[in-house]
Amino acid sequence: MSLSDDELFLQEMADVSPLKQEHQSYTDPRWLNPLSVTDAQLAKRAAAEQHELLQLLPTDPYLFTAVEPDDVVSYKMDGIQDEVFTQLRLGKYRFNTVLDLHQYRLPQARESLLSCVLGAYERGERNILVIHGKGYKSKPYPGLMKSAVCHWLRFIEPVTAYHSATKECGGVGAVFIMLKKSPQKRIENSELNRKGRGFR
């Protein structure tokens, strides 16, 4: 009489005993996910994205809309509430990051500005201060760095608004910049809100 497949399998496995607990090995679960990435890969991706963004930010002075050294500058994306923008204008938001572009040439300033904004965004910062100076004597026209910064900021994705700083923070020689909430901050806020709605 021929044996069924199940019976043959049980016959073959009869002398097999399970491994003891201490000898079982476990694979780090991070490596089981083909979509998981290392810090080096993340850094490489960020560098590539930054390089792509640099291509959108010209350094030709004649591609900027010229801003006069003493002009007050401002910009806000659609959806930014007037009250929020007023608070930015009045310097009511705390900032930890300050970038001074005074002695920079345009290519260096462009790279530093982009790196500063993206770095602050990744750290979850919402507001930064950039000092561009007034540039009375800049060539080929006054206010060159200020004009460049105002132009570039509109193309850097995390930037939602900017306004000339208060007198105490540099006045029209500097600019307050508001950034989007980073994905990490959104998660943290969501967690806080969820806990806040729990039973008391």
Side-chain angles (χ1 to χ4, degrees):
M1 182 175 104
S2 62
L3 299 173
S4 70
D5 288 343
D6 288 343
E7 290 170 325
L8 285 170
F9 175 76
L10 290 172
Q11 196 176 57
E12 288 295 321
M13 299 298 289
D15 59 346
V16 175
S17 59
L19 286 172
K20 291 182 180 177
Q21 188 70 24
E22 63 266 25
H23 296 305
Q24 292 186 31
S25 62
Y26 294 94
T27 305
D28 187 331
R30 286 177 302 173
W31 301 111
L32 296 177
N33 180 1
L35 298 178
S36 64
V37 292
T38 65
D39 288 343
Q41 288 170 317
L42 287 172
K44 189 173 181 180
R45 183 187 301 168
E49 288 173 358
Q50 184 167 329
H51 179 73
E52 285 179 18
L53 272 172
L54 282 174
Q55 307 311 307
L56 299 175
L57 311 180
T59 55
D60 181 342
Y62 296 103
L63 294 178
F64 311 139
T65 299
V67 177
E68 293 296 322
D70 291 317
D71 282 354
V72 171
V73 297
S74 67
Y75 160 80
K76 68 173 180 147
M77 290 179 63
D78 291 341
I80 300 298
Q81 297 175 356
D82 290 340
E83 179 59 29
V84 170
F85 191 63
T86 298
Q87 295 296 307
L88 176 71
R89 176 176 62 81
L90 297 175
K92 299 296 185 182
Y93 294 123
R94 186 172 59 87
F95 54 86
N96 294 322
T97 298
V98 178
L99 174 66
D100 189 342
L101 299 174
H102 260 106
Q103 304 301 319
Y104 289 16
R105 294 183 180 277
L106 289 179
Q108 185 185 10
R110 176 183 66 167
E111 191 164 337
S112 296
L113 178 66
L114 182 58
S115 178
C116 175
V117 169
L118 296 181
Y121 174 68
E122 288 299 322
R123 292 189 298 273
E125 296 179 34
R126 297 296 310 280
N127 297 276
I128 62 176
L129 175 70
V130 171
I131 303 168
H132 45 63
K134 297 178 184 177
Y136 289 118
K137 297 180 180 179
S138 62
K139 303 291 182 186
Y141 53 80
L144 175 61
M145 185 63 72
K146 182 175 182 174
S147 303
V149 168
C150 291
H151 180 88
W152 293 333
L153 286 174
R154 294 178 183 233
F155 290 92
I156 301 178
E157 203 269 333
V159 174
T160 59
Y162 64 76
H163 196 284
S164 290
T166 56
K167 187 175 181 180
E168 299 75 24
C169 292
V172 292
V175 65
F176 292 132
I177 300 169
M178 180 180 288
L179 307 178
K180 288 180 179 177
K181 193 175 290 184
S182 70
Q184 182 59 37
K185 278 292 177 188
R186 284 199 294 269
I187 291 170
E188 289 172 10
N189 287 350
S190 175
E191 285 292 312
L192 285 172
N193 290 337
R194 186 178 59 79
K195 289 175 182 174
R197 288 195 301 266
F199 295 108
R200 298 186 186 278

